[in-house]
C-alpha cells in the first residue's frame, strides 16, 4: 500500500478525496464554504471583541455566547482551510498523525459546542425561573467551572477515538472519501474489527449530544411552565423573547447533526455519498456562520453594543 508501513499496517498518510463524484465541481463547491468561513470568523471574532469590551454585555448569557463563538471559530478553522486546499490546489495528502489530530479536534469541538448550548439553556432557565437569584447563582467562578467542566467532558470522551483508531490495522487503502478526517470514515479503512469504534462512537454521541438535548428539553419545559403562569401577556412575550436566539442556535446545530447521524447509521444506502459529505460539512459550518447573525439580529443589547462601539470609534477618528 502506498505510504504504508508493512510491518505495522499503519499508513504514513491518507488521501482526502473531497466530495466523491463531484470532483469537477470542487471549485464551485468551495465558493459558498469559503464565503461562510469568512462570515463565521469575522462574525464570531466580532462578537468576542464586543462582549469583552462592552461593559453592558458582561453578563453570564454573553459570557456563554463568547465561549460558543470561540468554539465555532476553532471548529470551522479545523476543517475549512484544509478543505479549501483540497478544492483549490488538489492538496489531498494528510499525514496519519495529523489526520488523527484533526479527527480529535473536530469531534471534541462539536461536543464542546453542544455542551455550551446546554449551558446557555440552563442560563435561560435560571434567568426566567429564578430571576431574583440569577446574579448569585451564576457567578463568574460558577461560569468558569461550568465552561471548564464542559471542555474536560469533551476531551475525556473524545480522546478514546484517537487511541482506538490509531491502533487499528489498515490494509484497505488510504483514500478517505471525505473533506476531513471523520472518525468512522477513517475506521472503515481498517481491515481489522472496528466494531468497538462504532459502539463507542454511538455511546459518546449519547453521553454528549443525548445528555445535552435532555437537559435542554427539561430546561425549556420548566421555562415554558413559568412563562405560561405569568399573568401579563406582555411579560410572557418579553420573557420568552430572551430565548429566541438560543432556540434558533439549537435548531441550526442539532437538525443537521441528527440528520447526519441517523442517515449515516440507518438509511445511508439510499442517499448518494456526496450528499452525506456536503451535509457533514454544512453541519460543521452552519452554526459558526449563522449564530453571530442570529444573535446580532435577535438580541437588542448586542445591536446597541455594536452601535455604541461604531459611533465611539467614529467620534475618535473624527477628532
Amino acid at each position: 500500500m502506498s505510504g504504508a508501513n508493512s510491518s505495522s499496517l499503519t499508513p504514513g498518510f491518507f488521501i482526502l478525496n473531497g466530495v466523491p463524484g463531484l470532483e469537477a465541481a470542487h471549485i464551485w463547491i468551495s465558493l459558498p464554504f469559503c464565503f461562510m468561513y469568512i462570515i463565521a470568523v469575522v462574525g464570531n471574532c466580532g462578537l468576542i471583541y464586543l462582549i469583552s469590551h462592552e461593559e453592558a454585555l458582561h453578563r453570564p448569557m454573553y459570557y456563554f455566547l463568547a465561549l460558543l463563538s470561540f468554539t465555532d471559530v476553532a471548529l470551522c478553522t479545523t476543517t475549512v482551510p484544509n478543505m479549501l486546499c483540497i478544492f483549490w490546489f488538489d492538496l489531498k495528502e494528510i499525514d496519519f498523525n495529523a489526520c488523527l489530530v484533526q479527527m480529535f479536534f473536530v469531534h471534541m469541538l462539536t461536543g464542546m459546542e453542544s455542551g455550551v448550548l446546554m449551558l446557555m439553556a440552563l442560563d435561560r432557565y435560571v434567568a426566567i425561573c429564578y430571576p431574583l437569584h440569577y446574579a448569585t447563582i451564576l457567578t463568574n467562578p460558577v461560569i468558569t467551572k461550568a465552561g471548564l467542566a464542559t471542555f474536560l467532558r469533551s476531551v475525556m470522551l473524545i480522546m478514546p477515538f484517537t487511541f482506538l483508531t490509531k491502533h487499528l490495522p489498515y490494509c484497505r487503502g488510504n483514500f478517505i472519501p471525505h473533506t476531513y478526517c471523520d472518525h468512522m470514515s477513517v475506521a472503515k479503512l481498517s481491515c481489522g474489527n472496528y466494531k468497538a469504534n462504532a459502539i463507542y462512537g454511538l455511546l459518546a454521541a449519547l453521553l454528549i449530544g443525548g445528555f445535552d438535548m435532555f437537559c435542554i428539553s427539561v430546561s425549556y419545559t420548566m421555562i415554558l411552565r413559568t412563562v405560561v403562569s405569568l399573568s401579563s401577556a406582555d411579560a410572557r412575550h418579553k420573557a420568552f423573547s430572551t430565548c429566541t436566539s438560543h432556540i434558533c442556535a439549537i435548531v441550526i446545530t442539532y437538525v443537521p447533526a441528527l440528520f447526519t447521524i441517523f442517515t449515516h447509521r440507518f438509511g445511508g444506502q439510499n442517499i448518494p455519498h456526496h450528499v452525506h459529505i456536503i451535509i457533514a460539512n454544512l453541519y460543521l459550518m452552519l452554526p459558526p456562520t449563522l449564530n453571530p447573525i442570529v444573535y446580532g439580529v435577535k438580541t437588542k443589547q448586542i445591536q446597541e453594543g455594536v452601535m455604541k462601539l461604531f459611533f465611539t470609534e467614529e467620534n475618535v477618528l473624527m477628532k
Side-chain angles (χ1 to χ4, degrees), residues 17-22 176-179 185 188 264 268-280:
N17 276 353
V19 185
L22 297 178
I176 300 175
H178 215 306
T179 58
S185 295
K188 285 180 179 178
H264 196 69
Q269 65 274 15
N270 299 320
I271 300 174
H273 190 65
H274 64 265
V275 175
H276 277 294
I277 303 303
I278 292 173
I279 294 295

Side-chain angles (χ1 to χ4, degrees), residues 180-259:
Y180 61 86
C181 292
D182 174 71
H183 172 228
M184 287 310 299
S185 295
V186 175
K188 285 180 179 178
L189 294 179
S190 171
C191 52
N193 185 356
Y194 57 85
K195 190 174 181 181
N197 293 69
I199 293 172
Y200 185 78
L202 190 58
L203 178 64
L206 290 173
L207 289 174
I208 296 176
F211 175 78
D212 292 343
M213 284 190 285
F214 172 76
C215 291
I216 290 169
S217 300
V218 171
S219 297
Y220 272 100
T221 300
M222 301 302 291
I223 288 170
L224 193 59
R225 287 179 60 183
T226 301
V227 170
V228 169
S229 67
L230 295 174
S231 57
S232 167
D234 184 59
R236 288 196 295 268
H237 178 266
K238 186 177 179 180
F240 204 71
S241 65
T242 64
C243 302
T244 54
S245 300
H246 183 243
I247 292 171
C248 290
I250 291 169
V251 172
I252 291 166
T253 301
Y254 283 114
V255 169
L258 292 173
F259 178 85

Side-chain angles (χ1 to χ4, degrees), residues 33 43 45 84 167 216 225 229 235 270 297:
F33 283 108
C45 289
L84 295 179
H167 291 95
I216 290 169
R225 287 179 60 183
S229 67
N270 299 320
V297 171

Side-chain angles (χ1 to χ4, degrees), residues 300-314:
K300 185 180 178 181
Q301 290 86 346
I302 290 177
Q303 294 172 3
E304 291 173 349
V306 170
M307 296 300 292
K308 182 180 177 181
L309 188 65
F310 177 78
F311 283 115
T312 301
E313 291 185 355
E314 187 180 65

Side-chain angles (χ1 to χ4, degrees), residues 112-143:
M112 183 71 182
E113 183 175 54
S114 175
V116 175
L117 287 174
M118 182 264 292
L119 294 178
M120 295 173 80
L122 296 177
D123 167 80
R124 292 297 83 205
Y125 164 69
V126 175
I128 293 173
C129 298
Y130 301 97
L132 298 178
H133 303 285
Y134 182 67
T136 56
I137 294 175
L138 290 177
T139 60
N140 287 344
V142 169
I143 293 168

